[in-house]
Amino acid sequence: MSRNKVLAITAAVIFLGAVIWCAVILLKPKSNIVNITQDGTLLYSLDLSREKDRTFTVEYKDRKNTIEIKDGRIRMLEAECPDHICVDTGWLEDVPIVCLPNRLVIDHADKTDTDAQTR
Amino acid sequence: MDRKSAVFTARLITYIVLIIMLIAQTSCGKDEKNNDVKKSDESFFAMDTYITVTAYGENSDEAVKAAENKITALEKLWSVTDQNSEVYAANHNGTAGLSDDTAELVRFALDMCDTTDGALDISLYPVLTAWGFTTDEHHVPTDAELAALLENVGYDRITLDGNTLTVPDGVQIDLGAVGKGYAGDLAVQELKANGITSALLDLGGNIQTIGTKPDGSTWKIGVRSPYGDGSFATVSVKDKAVITSGGYERYFEENGEVYWHILDPKTGKPAHSGLLSVTVIGDEGRLCDSLSTSLFVMGIDRAEQLWKERMDFDFIAVSEKGDIYITEGIKNDFELSESYKGLNVSVIK
């Protein structure tokens, strides 16, 4: 093979690579990143579109919060706190799930259509 | 093809590919229009809630920090339970010298108690405590208990002379219904003093905005549905506070009955005026905060009347029947969410 052909083929391969790469970026399934923070510290950053169904616990001053991931959704399953507001919030939608007594917050990493919610 | 022109063609292709890759790199993926504007945000717990301050612009790091510091400082002055707070001092010593920020807040709050004819009453704290809303140890007080407690309720017994606050024996004040809104206003001032012209503050669902988004478009604020987690509508605002009060925020059930935290100062019982939630949109957080609570207590007719008298705010109310009332001023900035398109919206003129 001549040097020129090698050059041309290399160029073509790079070009194709660029096209495929572009397609991959544009067609990538929408990720759904959720951050779990405690007292301002990020504990977990999870992509719900990739997470397996599971439950796990987070502790705060000997009190436990149990978080459930199921079918690409997330919620506070149980909480050792007096008010259970976080459990009552249900699956994460627009409103962040907040457990005030245990300083725990589950929220979308990047918010969608609206900028905030008044409640 | 001679060798020279073949080399030339190959080089040409290589350059074209490189240029395409460069373009691909900068244009692939979603277009973020505001990539060049610096954004800073900070989330923290204060005033019994979860607060997020987001600001755009050169100085946004310093500005957000300043706003956070302001809010945490105000919490120390206004907390009912912190033994070092000015409110605690007034409640427990009967009189207290207030800082300028606290004095201004009390002055405004007393004025709003008057304006709303007592639908807002900052001396309701002992009744709220009896229901357990301050400690989450819920309990339904008897009528006799409530009658005894209501003896000590009455904002007109509280006097503010300059910066000196006097609270009679047995009376206790709590600035909860106005404080978060005013803290938002003072945080907004702090951000503006640091050169910020675009910001969004979320004080546990009290939304306050500065200017527009960096790209010049309005802020889209979802309004929480009283029936579930989602938003039943969106309001588009700039430079406004958007604050909601609803029975769903804090409540408990006993013997099949729901008791929520917004109490009618006249009865000491959860307010049942026919409304499930009220959202107030206006220039100042303190006005919106105090009105969202008091309009909820007043009901739609008195709310409409007050709106016509003042005209310095707008509101969105959801009734127990599922009807929506909005005032004329926000008609064009209000939009029902997809799944709530069937709701009946009446425009108050």
Side-chain angles (χ1 to χ4, degrees), chain B residues 53-65:
Chain B
V53 179
T54 310
Y56 296 87
E58 270 311 301
N59 202 30
S60 53
D61 279 344
E62 293 82 353
V64 167
K65 203 69 215 159

Side-chain angles (χ1 to χ4, degrees), chain A residues 3-4 7 11 14-15 18 21-22 25-26 39 83 89 91 93-95 100 103 105 114-119, chain B residues 6-7 13 17 20-21 28-29 45 48 50 136 205 207 213 219-222 224 229-231 242-244:
Chain A
R3 196 163 151 265
N4 294 335
L7 265 174
I14 294 172
F15 177 73
W21 181 48
C22 206
I25 287 182
L26 285 173
D39 225 352
D83 55 27
T89 308
W91 298 105
E93 286 184 25
D94 297 354
V95 203
L100 214 50
R103 296 283 194 249
V105 178
T114 54
D115 300 306
Q117 189 194 41
T118 176
R119 57 191 185 274
Chain B
V7 169
I13 292 173
V17 165
I20 289 174
M21 282 177 69
C28 252
F45 289 93
D48 229 2
Y50 182 58
D136 285 317
I207 309 299
K213 285 196 261 185
W219 303 97
K220 307 267 177 296
I221 313 299
R224 216 272 209 185
D229 295 329
S231 301
V242 185
I243 297 180
T244 302

Side-chain angles (χ1 to χ4, degrees), chain B residues 15 26 35 52 72 74 81 91 122 152 170 180 186 218 224 236 258 273 278 300 310 326:
Chain B
Y15 286 131
T26 48
N35 271 349
T52 303
T72 27
L74 294 173
T81 47
N91 281 344
I122 57 169
N152 283 322
K180 244 194 291 166
L186 295 176
T218 51
R224 216 272 209 185
S236 305
V258 173
S273 64
V278 176
I300 191 65
R310 294 186 57 114
I326 63 172

Side-chain angles (χ1 to χ4, degrees), chain B residues 330-346:
Chain B
I330 47 134
K331 192 179 69 184
N332 297 327
D333 305 316
F334 174 90
E335 197 184 356
L336 283 177
S337 308
E338 216 35 68
S339 44
Y340 291 89
K341 288 278 192 228
L343 290 180
N344 178 31
V345 180
S346 314

